Amino acid sequence: MDVFVAPRPNPALINMMTIVNRIVMLRGVPGFRDLLPFNRLAGLRGVANVRHIDFPSADQQRLQARCGEGQATFITPNHPEFFTDWMIDKEIVSRVSPLAASWATHGVVNGLGRVMQKFWLANNLIAQIPGNNQAAKAHSVDWALKGHGVLLHPEGGVGWHGDYVGPLLPGAVEMGLEALQRGRETNKDFKAWVAPVVWKLAFTGNVERALARECAYVEKSLKIAGSGDGSLPERVYRIYSDLLSRDEQAFGLTAEQGVSYAVRQQRALAELGQRLADGIAADPGLDLAELLRRSRRWLREGKKDAEEQKRVRKLAETIQRIQRVGSWAFADRTITQEEIAEHLKRIRNDYCKGTLRDTINRFIPQPVGPRCAHIRVPQPLGLHDYDGSVDEALAVLRTRMQEAVTKIVTELEAASGFISYPNPFYHR
């Protein structure tokens, strides 16, 4: 098990990385980023290819006002895209709280060798260690009490759903309450905030041809028949349908012909959830989120033989993959190019493995075209003025975040900012 190592922030390195992030990671190099062959080099066109940042001054000032001495602030962004999210995180904190600490997966902070660990710790990253987060939380509270701020994504892992905010984890609220209690010991007017941030990534033009190329790569990599047939959404739907068929066959499940993906998915999840509950001797009435949490704890304890652990791990991993196509995918009659891109990235992350190209894509997924990041800051939640429970606070935060995302999408739609198609996932 990983052991927590406290970050040792180096302001000079942080400032240098902020400059590199803006040029190399986000925007690219003007004059080269649109010219062949230079625009084929990620570092020249911008690794995350975010050409424009729409971050209104009122939103930036709202967040900046909640950072600084005499208050502890936990910044909680949504988490729609791997890697790009960290680039945007760094851009935001560089403007409002340059020495803010950021949580990251232990595989990044501690899993790439001692030299890289030293580099990430100097960039003020806190390793999120599964099952062993107490030291990280204690350090986060200490750092927040200094007025620098701490950033963490309350949705947990990346879901690849930019229009939907998933259920939130309680860590930021719990740490905020602890910071408030400690701060009030020496300052009765001390304040603690949880400051949500959201962004929506939108393509700056039509990227259908590039999406078609990525879709063809996924079809070929996964050996999905019928490559090139149908519209982009129909091809994505067929990929998911074929992958679900493979899971059904692997676990001996019967799939009815002509049944929608949504119905097949729910039937598969119900059956696999029952098998997982039986495997770890859990109450079959548990929802899947709690069942998966208990299965992870069961696996960490390692009380059963290797074969039984392998069976439980395979069940849990399959359930996690299948349920990543959430209810948001079936909600609207139309689907945008941005949502198609998210589907393809999710599929590549979850199913395309074994090659160097796929490994690199998993850590640094490349967008199919230039984008704009529309960043907004909903009203922060002042824990010093809040009397509700942790769960109630999470509900408030999630509502504020979802409303802010939906408002961005509505404004972009009104300005004809999306290219859309009929959605084959639509399910009434």
PDB file of all heavy atoms in Angstrom, residues 348-370:
ATOM      1  N   ARG A 348     -12.369   4.052 -25.690  1.00  0.00           N
ATOM      2  CA  ARG A 348     -10.925   3.818 -25.828  1.00  0.00           C
ATOM      3  C   ARG A 348     -10.283   3.592 -24.474  1.00  0.00           C
ATOM      4  O   ARG A 348      -9.415   2.726 -24.322  1.00  0.00           O
ATOM      5  CB  ARG A 348     -10.263   5.002 -26.543  1.00  0.00           C
ATOM      6  CG  ARG A 348     -10.620   5.099 -28.009  1.00  0.00           C
ATOM      7  CD  ARG A 348      -9.764   6.124 -28.734  1.00  0.00           C
ATOM      8  NE  ARG A 348      -8.359   5.701 -28.814  1.00  0.00           N
ATOM      9  CZ  ARG A 348      -7.427   6.363 -29.480  1.00  0.00           C
ATOM     10  NH1 ARG A 348      -7.733   7.479 -30.118  1.00  0.00           N
ATOM     11  NH2 ARG A 348      -6.184   5.920 -29.502  1.00  0.00           N
ATOM     12  N   ASN A 349     -10.696   4.356 -23.475  1.00  0.00           N
ATOM     13  CA  ASN A 349     -10.128   4.203 -22.137  1.00  0.00           C
ATOM     14  C   ASN A 349     -10.481   2.850 -21.531  1.00  0.00           C
ATOM     15  O   ASN A 349      -9.649   2.199 -20.886  1.00  0.00           O
ATOM     16  CB  ASN A 349     -10.642   5.314 -21.231  1.00  0.00           C
ATOM     17  CG  ASN A 349     -10.082   5.223 -19.826  1.00  0.00           C
ATOM     18  OD1 ASN A 349      -8.962   5.639 -19.550  1.00  0.00           O
ATOM     19  ND2 ASN A 349     -10.854   4.659 -18.901  1.00  0.00           N
ATOM     20  N   ASP A 350     -11.722   2.400 -21.723  1.00  0.00           N
ATOM     21  CA  ASP A 350     -12.211   1.202 -21.041  1.00  0.00           C
ATOM     22  C   ASP A 350     -11.916  -0.090 -21.784  1.00  0.00           C
ATOM     23  O   ASP A 350     -11.810  -1.155 -21.162  1.00  0.00           O
ATOM     24  CB  ASP A 350     -13.723   1.306 -20.822  1.00  0.00           C
ATOM     25  CG  ASP A 350     -14.101   2.396 -19.830  1.00  0.00           C
ATOM     26  OD1 ASP A 350     -13.191   2.967 -19.203  1.00  0.00           O
ATOM     27  OD2 ASP A 350     -15.307   2.674 -19.688  1.00  0.00           O
ATOM     28  N   TYR A 351     -11.803  -0.033 -23.121  1.00  0.00           N
ATOM     29  CA  TYR A 351     -11.727  -1.280 -23.890  1.00  0.00           C
ATOM     30  C   TYR A 351     -10.498  -1.407 -24.784  1.00  0.00           C
ATOM     31  O   TYR A 351     -10.063  -2.527 -25.061  1.00  0.00           O
ATOM     32  CB  TYR A 351     -12.975  -1.421 -24.770  1.00  0.00           C
ATOM     33  CG  TYR A 351     -14.259  -1.621 -24.004  1.00  0.00           C
ATOM     34  CD1 TYR A 351     -15.066  -0.543 -23.669  1.00  0.00           C
ATOM     35  CD2 TYR A 351     -14.673  -2.895 -23.614  1.00  0.00           C
ATOM     36  CE1 TYR A 351     -16.247  -0.719 -22.966  1.00  0.00           C
ATOM     37  CE2 TYR A 351     -15.855  -3.088 -22.915  1.00  0.00           C
ATOM     38  CZ  TYR A 351     -16.637  -1.988 -22.587  1.00  0.00           C
ATOM     39  OH  TYR A 351     -17.802  -2.164 -21.885  1.00  0.00           O
ATOM     40  N   CYS A 352      -9.947  -0.309 -25.276  1.00  0.00           N
ATOM     41  CA  CYS A 352      -8.822  -0.391 -26.211  1.00  0.00           C
ATOM     42  C   CYS A 352      -7.507  -0.427 -25.433  1.00  0.00           C
ATOM     43  O   CYS A 352      -7.059   0.589 -24.912  1.00  0.00           O
ATOM     44  CB  CYS A 352      -8.838   0.797 -27.172  1.00  0.00           C
ATOM     45  SG  CYS A 352     -10.287   0.862 -28.231  1.00  0.00           S
ATOM     46  N   LYS A 353      -6.913  -1.589 -25.373  1.00  0.00           N
ATOM     47  CA  LYS A 353      -5.701  -1.756 -24.563  1.00  0.00           C
ATOM     48  C   LYS A 353      -4.714  -2.663 -25.299  1.00  0.00           C
ATOM     49  O   LYS A 353      -5.066  -3.376 -26.229  1.00  0.00           O
ATOM     50  CB  LYS A 353      -6.061  -2.363 -23.203  1.00  0.00           C
ATOM     51  CG  LYS A 353      -7.023  -1.504 -22.388  1.00  0.00           C
ATOM     52  CD  LYS A 353      -7.434  -2.162 -21.080  1.00  0.00           C
ATOM     53  CE  LYS A 353      -8.416  -1.288 -20.329  1.00  0.00           C
ATOM     54  NZ  LYS A 353      -8.866  -1.903 -19.057  1.00  0.00           N
ATOM     55  N   GLY A 354      -3.455  -2.589 -24.865  1.00  0.00           N
ATOM     56  CA  GLY A 354      -2.454  -3.508 -25.380  1.00  0.00           C
ATOM     57  C   GLY A 354      -1.445  -2.897 -26.311  1.00  0.00           C
ATOM     58  O   GLY A 354      -0.434  -3.533 -26.628  1.00  0.00           O
ATOM     59  N   THR A 355      -1.677  -1.675 -26.800  1.00  0.00           N
ATOM     60  CA  THR A 355      -0.706  -1.027 -27.675  1.00  0.00           C
ATOM     61  C   THR A 355      -0.188   0.244 -27.017  1.00  0.00           C
ATOM     62  O   THR A 355      -0.834   0.825 -26.141  1.00  0.00           O
ATOM     63  CB  THR A 355      -1.337  -0.652 -29.034  1.00  0.00           C
ATOM     64  OG1 THR A 355      -2.296   0.391 -28.835  1.00  0.00           O
ATOM     65  CG2 THR A 355      -2.022  -1.855 -29.672  1.00  0.00           C
ATOM     66  N   LEU A 356       0.990   0.685 -27.458  1.00  0.00           N
ATOM     67  CA  LEU A 356       1.570   1.926 -26.926  1.00  0.00           C
ATOM     68  C   LEU A 356       0.654   3.104 -27.221  1.00  0.00           C
ATOM     69  O   LEU A 356       0.476   3.998 -26.382  1.00  0.00           O
ATOM     70  CB  LEU A 356       2.948   2.161 -27.544  1.00  0.00           C
ATOM     71  CG  LEU A 356       3.660   3.458 -27.121  1.00  0.00           C
ATOM     72  CD1 LEU A 356       3.902   3.476 -25.613  1.00  0.00           C
ATOM     73  CD2 LEU A 356       4.964   3.611 -27.893  1.00  0.00           C
ATOM     74  N   ARG A 357       0.065   3.110 -28.413  1.00  0.00           N
ATOM     75  CA  ARG A 357      -0.839   4.202 -28.799  1.00  0.00           C
ATOM     76  C   ARG A 357      -2.014   4.302 -27.830  1.00  0.00           C
ATOM     77  O   ARG A 357      -2.387   5.395 -27.392  1.00  0.00           O
ATOM     78  CB  ARG A 357      -1.349   3.967 -30.215  1.00  0.00           C
ATOM     79  CG  ARG A 357      -2.328   5.028 -30.715  1.00  0.00           C
ATOM     80  CD  ARG A 357      -2.697   4.757 -32.161  1.00  0.00           C
ATOM     81  NE  ARG A 357      -3.687   5.721 -32.655  1.00  0.00           N
ATOM     82  CZ  ARG A 357      -4.153   5.727 -33.900  1.00  0.00           C
ATOM     83  NH1 ARG A 357      -3.699   4.842 -34.771  1.00  0.00           N
ATOM     84  NH2 ARG A 357      -5.054   6.631 -34.265  1.00  0.00           N
ATOM     85  N   ASP A 358      -2.591   3.163 -27.457  1.00  0.00           N
ATOM     86  CA  ASP A 358      -3.723   3.179 -26.535  1.00  0.00           C
ATOM     87  C   ASP A 358      -3.294   3.555 -25.122  1.00  0.00           C
ATOM     88  O   ASP A 358      -4.037   4.226 -24.401  1.00  0.00           O
ATOM     89  CB  ASP A 358      -4.417   1.816 -26.530  1.00  0.00           C
ATOM     90  CG  ASP A 358      -5.181   1.553 -27.817  1.00  0.00           C
ATOM     91  OD1 ASP A 358      -5.695   2.517 -28.395  1.00  0.00           O
ATOM     92  OD2 ASP A 358      -5.243   0.383 -28.245  1.00  0.00           O
ATOM     93  N   THR A 359      -2.108   3.124 -24.722  1.00  0.00           N
ATOM     94  CA  THR A 359      -1.606   3.482 -23.391  1.00  0.00           C
ATOM     95  C   THR A 359      -1.401   4.987 -23.281  1.00  0.00           C
ATOM     96  O   THR A 359      -1.808   5.615 -22.294  1.00  0.00           O
ATOM     97  CB  THR A 359      -0.286   2.752 -23.100  1.00  0.00           C
ATOM     98  OG1 THR A 359      -0.520   1.341 -23.130  1.00  0.00           O
ATOM     99  CG2 THR A 359       0.249   3.138 -21.720  1.00  0.00           C
ATOM    100  N   ILE A 360      -0.794   5.585 -24.307  1.00  0.00           N
ATOM    101  CA  ILE A 360      -0.587   7.032 -24.308  1.00  0.00           C
ATOM    102  C   ILE A 360      -1.927   7.754 -24.309  1.00  0.00           C
ATOM    103  O   ILE A 360      -2.129   8.729 -23.580  1.00  0.00           O
ATOM    104  CB  ILE A 360       0.263   7.456 -25.519  1.00  0.00           C
ATOM    105  CG1 ILE A 360       1.690   6.898 -25.385  1.00  0.00           C
ATOM    106  CG2 ILE A 360       0.300   8.980 -25.660  1.00  0.00           C
ATOM    107  CD1 ILE A 360       2.554   7.132 -26.598  1.00  0.00           C
ATOM    108  N   ASN A 361      -2.866   7.257 -25.102  1.00  0.00           N
ATOM    109  CA  ASN A 361      -4.185   7.883 -25.169  1.00  0.00           C
ATOM    110  C   ASN A 361      -4.899   7.831 -23.833  1.00  0.00           C
ATOM    111  O   ASN A 361      -5.662   8.733 -23.496  1.00  0.00           O
ATOM    112  CB  ASN A 361      -5.038   7.194 -26.233  1.00  0.00           C
ATOM    113  CG  ASN A 361      -6.423   7.812 -26.348  1.00  0.00           C
ATOM    114  OD1 ASN A 361      -6.606   8.854 -26.948  1.00  0.00           O
ATOM    115  ND2 ASN A 361      -7.419   7.158 -25.751  1.00  0.00           N
ATOM    116  N   ARG A 362      -4.660   6.773 -23.056  1.00  0.00           N
ATOM    117  CA  ARG A 362      -5.330   6.655 -21.768  1.00  0.00           C
ATOM    118  C   ARG A 362      -4.850   7.752 -20.812  1.00  0.00           C
ATOM    119  O   ARG A 362      -5.631   8.274 -20.013  1.00  0.00           O
ATOM    120  CB  ARG A 362      -5.076   5.273 -21.169  1.00  0.00           C
ATOM    121  CG  ARG A 362      -5.991   4.931 -19.988  1.00  0.00           C
ATOM    122  CD  ARG A 362      -5.915   3.456 -19.644  1.00  0.00           C
ATOM    123  NE  ARG A 362      -6.355   2.652 -20.771  1.00  0.00           N
ATOM    124  CZ  ARG A 362      -5.569   1.825 -21.463  1.00  0.00           C
ATOM    125  NH1 ARG A 362      -4.302   1.678 -21.121  1.00  0.00           N
ATOM    126  NH2 ARG A 362      -6.046   1.140 -22.478  1.00  0.00           N
ATOM    127  N   PHE A 363      -3.584   8.094 -20.872  1.00  0.00           N
ATOM    128  CA  PHE A 363      -3.037   9.107 -19.974  1.00  0.00           C
ATOM    129  C   PHE A 363      -3.141  10.516 -20.560  1.00  0.00           C
ATOM    130  O   PHE A 363      -3.338  11.487 -19.822  1.00  0.00           O
ATOM    131  CB  PHE A 363      -1.576   8.791 -19.637  1.00  0.00           C
ATOM    132  CG  PHE A 363      -1.413   7.664 -18.668  1.00  0.00           C
ATOM    133  CD1 PHE A 363      -1.150   6.378 -19.102  1.00  0.00           C
ATOM    134  CD2 PHE A 363      -1.545   7.879 -17.300  1.00  0.00           C
ATOM    135  CE1 PHE A 363      -1.016   5.332 -18.202  1.00  0.00           C
ATOM    136  CE2 PHE A 363      -1.415   6.845 -16.393  1.00  0.00           C
ATOM    137  CZ  PHE A 363      -1.150   5.565 -16.842  1.00  0.00           C
ATOM    138  N   ILE A 364      -2.983  10.633 -21.878  1.00  0.00           N
ATOM    139  CA  ILE A 364      -3.043  11.951 -22.523  1.00  0.00           C
ATOM    140  C   ILE A 364      -3.953  11.839 -23.743  1.00  0.00           C
ATOM    141  O   ILE A 364      -3.490  11.826 -24.889  1.00  0.00           O
ATOM    142  CB  ILE A 364      -1.635  12.448 -22.931  1.00  0.00           C
ATOM    143  CG1 ILE A 364      -0.643  12.315 -21.779  1.00  0.00           C
ATOM    144  CG2 ILE A 364      -1.703  13.903 -23.377  1.00  0.00           C
ATOM    145  CD1 ILE A 364       0.763  12.723 -22.136  1.00  0.00           C
ATOM    146  N   PRO A 365      -5.260  11.724 -23.523  1.00  0.00           N
ATOM    147  CA  PRO A 365      -6.188  11.589 -24.654  1.00  0.00           C
ATOM    148  C   PRO A 365      -6.169  12.829 -25.534  1.00  0.00           C
ATOM    149  O   PRO A 365      -6.213  13.958 -25.036  1.00  0.00           O
ATOM    150  CB  PRO A 365      -7.545  11.395 -23.974  1.00  0.00           C
ATOM    151  CG  PRO A 365      -7.381  11.981 -22.609  1.00  0.00           C
ATOM    152  CD  PRO A 365      -5.969  11.753 -22.222  1.00  0.00           C
ATOM    153  N   GLN A 366      -6.105  12.604 -26.848  1.00  0.00           N
ATOM    154  CA  GLN A 366      -6.017  13.712 -27.780  1.00  0.00           C
ATOM    155  C   GLN A 366      -7.385  14.068 -28.358  1.00  0.00           C
ATOM    156  O   GLN A 366      -8.070  13.211 -28.911  1.00  0.00           O
ATOM    157  CB  GLN A 366      -5.061  13.364 -28.923  1.00  0.00           C
ATOM    158  CG  GLN A 366      -3.617  13.248 -28.483  1.00  0.00           C
ATOM    159  CD  GLN A 366      -3.089  14.585 -27.985  1.00  0.00           C
ATOM    160  OE1 GLN A 366      -2.846  15.499 -28.754  1.00  0.00           O
ATOM    161  NE2 GLN A 366      -2.930  14.705 -26.678  1.00  0.00           N
ATOM    162  N   PRO A 367      -7.801  15.326 -28.238  1.00  0.00           N
ATOM    163  CA  PRO A 367      -9.068  15.737 -28.841  1.00  0.00           C
ATOM    164  C   PRO A 367      -8.966  15.733 -30.358  1.00  0.00           C
ATOM    165  O   PRO A 367      -7.870  15.849 -30.918  1.00  0.00           O
ATOM    166  CB  PRO A 367      -9.277  17.145 -28.290  1.00  0.00           C
ATOM    167  CG  PRO A 367      -7.895  17.648 -28.024  1.00  0.00           C
ATOM    168  CD  PRO A 367      -7.105  16.446 -27.575  1.00  0.00           C
ATOM    169  N   VAL A 368     -10.116  15.643 -31.018  1.00  0.00           N
ATOM    170  CA  VAL A 368     -10.105  15.577 -32.483  1.00  0.00           C
ATOM    171  C   VAL A 368     -10.076  16.956 -33.126  1.00  0.00           C
ATOM    172  O   VAL A 368      -9.961  17.061 -34.353  1.00  0.00           O
ATOM    173  CB  VAL A 368     -11.328  14.796 -33.009  1.00  0.00           C
ATOM    174  CG1 VAL A 368     -11.274  13.351 -32.546  1.00  0.00           C
ATOM    175  CG2 VAL A 368     -12.627  15.460 -32.585  1.00  0.00           C
ATOM    176  N   GLY A 369     -10.174  18.018 -32.334  1.00  0.00           N
ATOM    177  CA  GLY A 369     -10.138  19.356 -32.911  1.00  0.00           C
ATOM    178  C   GLY A 369     -10.006  20.421 -31.840  1.00  0.00           C
ATOM    179  O   GLY A 369     -10.104  20.139 -30.645  1.00  0.00           O
ATOM    180  N   PRO A 370      -9.776  21.674 -32.249  1.00  0.00           N
ATOM    181  CA  PRO A 370      -9.633  22.774 -31.288  1.00  0.00           C
ATOM    182  C   PRO A 370     -10.943  23.054 -30.562  1.00  0.00           C
ATOM    183  O   PRO A 370     -12.037  22.900 -31.119  1.00  0.00           O
ATOM    184  CB  PRO A 370      -9.213  23.957 -32.166  1.00  0.00           C
ATOM    185  CG  PRO A 370      -9.665  23.596 -33.542  1.00  0.00           C
ATOM    186  CD  PRO A 370      -9.588  22.118 -33.640  1.00  0.00           C
TER     187      PRO A 370
END
